[in-house]
């Protein structure tokens, strides 16, 4: 499940995260490099510089999605030559990134700045903060007062991959989902059928799981499914009209493909006789779920919205 989530995140940010077209990313490898790629300056200066050009690095993607930079972090700035000082500066940078995203409503309390570092910088960070580099630690003067997690290289890579994935997911939540309109226009033709269904409140404090914008999407899914289920599958030969359901999450309630098919049918009704009519409306077996998924993917490809979706 986590690998599928990672692949979906990577695909979306590759296609839509950038201001000037697509840019392939890998998680966490290219992201870690994007924020700390350095090159020695030609001048006789003991500094390194970030290589930021052609709008293809992490903070450009953040600026593209958010519209404003993080205070104190420029697109190009010097990093100290000393590896310990450089590591502390990168750690501060990641701390500012997390604080900035949290201020926008991101849930990232479980992500620590050091998990966003490159492996070699994380090793320096743990050595300094556990006293293994006493001289460098004293010179830096930046000891952390909280608990330090010392992870082996394999565990760190797993943690880093998860941390960067969660950062991107929360970026999507706070910068992209708010573009979803919260304006709800009542549809007289569907009010009667919806009045017996429990409602989903869009108010900000009604859920500690889904944001207001995610609940707006759930409301949209409920209304289109209830409105269209009797239209899409009125002539179904594979189970008849599907029963009413209350869509309250984005995994189990969408698993059989019927809710998503109802949404697509609202905008592309010509897909009903060619694709959706063939779906099982009360799937029971893995084969029937797979059958519905294949039809849904074929429908997405028919309107050029496949985005490299895999069943």
């Amino acid at each position: 499940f986590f690998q599928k989530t990672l692949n979906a995140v990577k695909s979306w940010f590759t296609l839509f995260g950038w201001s000037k077209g697509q840019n392939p990313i890998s998680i966490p490898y290219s992201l870690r490099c994007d924020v700390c790629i350095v090159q020695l300056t030609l001048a006789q200066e003991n500094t390194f510089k970030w290589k930021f050009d052609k709008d293809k690095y992490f903070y450009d993607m953040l600026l593209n999605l958010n519209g404003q930079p993080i205070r104190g972090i420029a697109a190009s700035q010097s990093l100290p030559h000393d590896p310990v000082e450089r590591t502390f500066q990168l750690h501060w940078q990641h701390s500012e990134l997390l604080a900035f995203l949290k201020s926008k409503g991101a849930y990232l309390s479980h992500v620590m700045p050091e998990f966003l570092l490159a492996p070699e910088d994380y090793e320096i960070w743990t050595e300094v903060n556990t006293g293994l580099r006493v001289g460098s630690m004293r010179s830096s003067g930046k000891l952390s007062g909280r608990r330090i997690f010392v992870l082996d290289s394999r565990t760190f890579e797993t943690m880093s991959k998860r941390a960067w994935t969660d950062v991107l997911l929360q970026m999507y939540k706070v910068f992209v989902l708010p573009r979803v309109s919260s304006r709800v226009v009542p549809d007289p033709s569907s009010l009667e059928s919806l009045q017996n269904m429990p409602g989903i409140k869009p108010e900000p404090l009604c859920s500690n799981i889904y944001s207001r914008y995610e609940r707006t999407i759930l409301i949209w899914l409920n209304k289109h499914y209830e409105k269209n289920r009797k239209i899409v599958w009125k002539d179904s030969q594979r189970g008849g009209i599907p029963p009413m359901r209350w869509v309250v999450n984005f995994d189990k309630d969408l698993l059989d493909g019927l809710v998503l098919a109802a949404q697509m049918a609202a905008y592309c009704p010509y897909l009903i006789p060619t694709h959706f009519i063939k779906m099982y409306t009360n799937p029971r077996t893995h084969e029937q779920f797979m059958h519905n998924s294949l039809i849904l993917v074929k429908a997405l490809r028919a309107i050029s919205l496949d985005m490299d979706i895999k069943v």
Side-chain angles (χ1 to χ4, degrees):
F1 173 80
F2 174 70
Q3 187 61 46
K4 290 180 180 179
T5 302
L6 185 147
N7 291 338
V9 171
K10 181 171 65 175
S11 177
W12 192 92
F13 279 91
T14 291
L15 293 171
F16 306 114
W18 311 91
S19 60
K20 297 184 179 179
Q22 301 178 14
N23 181 41
I25 67 170
S26 61
I27 304 174
Y29 311 108
S30 69
L31 298 176
R32 292 190 307 213
C33 291
D34 284 352
V35 295
C36 63
I37 287 181
V38 293
Q39 61 180 0
L40 188 62
T41 59
L42 296 178
Q44 297 299 318
E45 298 176 358
N46 292 327
T47 59
F48 291 88
K49 288 185 179 295
W50 291 343
K51 290 170 57 180
F52 265 77
D53 53 17
K54 299 183 180 179
D55 301 322
K56 292 298 184 182
Y57 293 96
F58 176 80
Y59 281 99
D60 175 74
M61 179 174 69
L62 182 67
L63 179 62
N64 176 54
L65 296 175
N66 174 49
Q68 63 183 26
I70 299 177
R71 180 178 299 179
I73 299 180
S76 179
Q77 56 184 309
S78 296
L79 288 175
H81 176 69
D82 179 75
V84 175
E85 291 292 338
R86 177 171 59 87
T87 297
F88 273 107
Q89 182 161 333
L90 289 172
H91 188 274
W92 169 83
Q93 171 187 323
H94 294 324
S95 298
E96 291 299 304
L97 168 65
L98 295 174
F100 175 76
L101 294 176
K102 290 175 185 177
S103 72
K104 299 295 183 180
Y107 298 150
L108 290 169
S109 59
H110 62 292
V111 177
M112 297 184 178
E114 52 266 35
F115 295 155
L116 303 179
L117 293 169
E120 56 272 18
D121 292 320
Y122 173 75
E123 184 176 353
I124 294 173
W125 170 258
T126 55
E127 287 180 356
V128 168
N129 283 278
T130 54
L132 298 180
R133 289 196 178 197
V134 178
S136 298
M137 177 175 60
R138 288 174 179 171
S139 65
S140 69
K142 297 179 181 178
L143 273 175
S144 173
R146 59 178 174 77
R147 181 181 178 185
I148 303 300
F149 292 91
V150 182
L151 309 176
D152 60 72
S153 58
R154 183 175 180 180
T155 304
F156 172 76
E157 284 295 340
T158 301
M159 187 67 73
S160 181
K161 182 182 294 186
R162 180 60 184 265
W164 276 107
T165 301
D166 288 345
V167 165
L168 292 179
L169 282 169
Q170 292 299 310
M171 284 173 56
Y172 182 87
K173 187 185 79 171
V174 299
F175 297 143
V176 180
L177 280 183
R179 301 174 191 173
V180 176
S181 174
S182 59
R183 181 171 58 93
V184 179
V185 179
D187 184 351
S189 65
S190 62
L191 288 179
E192 182 178 354
S193 59
L194 287 173
Q195 64 182 359
N196 295 324
M197 182 184 298
I200 296 176
K201 297 180 180 180
E203 286 77 10
L205 301 179
C206 289
S207 173
N208 62 352
I209 299 177
Y210 292 133
S211 69
R212 178 180 61 182
Y213 311 106
E214 290 169 310
R215 295 199 299 278
T216 299
I217 293 177
L218 288 175
I219 293 172
W220 174 71
L221 290 172
N222 274 289
K223 289 195 172 183
H224 274 304
Y225 174 75
E226 183 55 32
K227 178 182 177 181
N228 292 319
R229 66 185 178 92
K230 296 180 181 179
I231 299 174
V232 178
W233 293 287
K234 64 179 180 179
D235 299 319
S236 172
Q237 301 298 316
R238 297 179 183 269
I241 296 174
M244 177 186 292
R245 70 172 65 175
W246 189 27
V247 183
V248 294
N249 58 63
F250 293 102
D251 45 16
K252 292 183 180 180
D253 290 333
L254 305 185
L255 194 60
D256 59 12
L258 297 176
V259 174
L260 293 178
Q263 314 312 307
M264 292 181 63
Y267 302 96
C268 305
Y270 53 84
L271 293 173
I272 296 175
T274 59
H275 292 76
F276 302 143
I277 196 66
K278 303 173 185 178
M279 299 176 74
Y280 287 97
T281 57
N282 191 25
R284 299 289 187 183
T285 66
H286 292 296
E287 291 77 14
Q288 291 175 345
F289 277 88
M290 176 64 76
H291 173 87
N292 283 2
S293 298
L294 288 170
I295 289 179
L296 190 63
V297 170
K298 289 179 180 178
L300 289 168
R301 289 173 178 167
I303 58 176
S304 301
L305 283 178
D306 61 292
M307 287 177 53
D308 195 32
I309 292 177
K310 295 179 176 60
V311 179

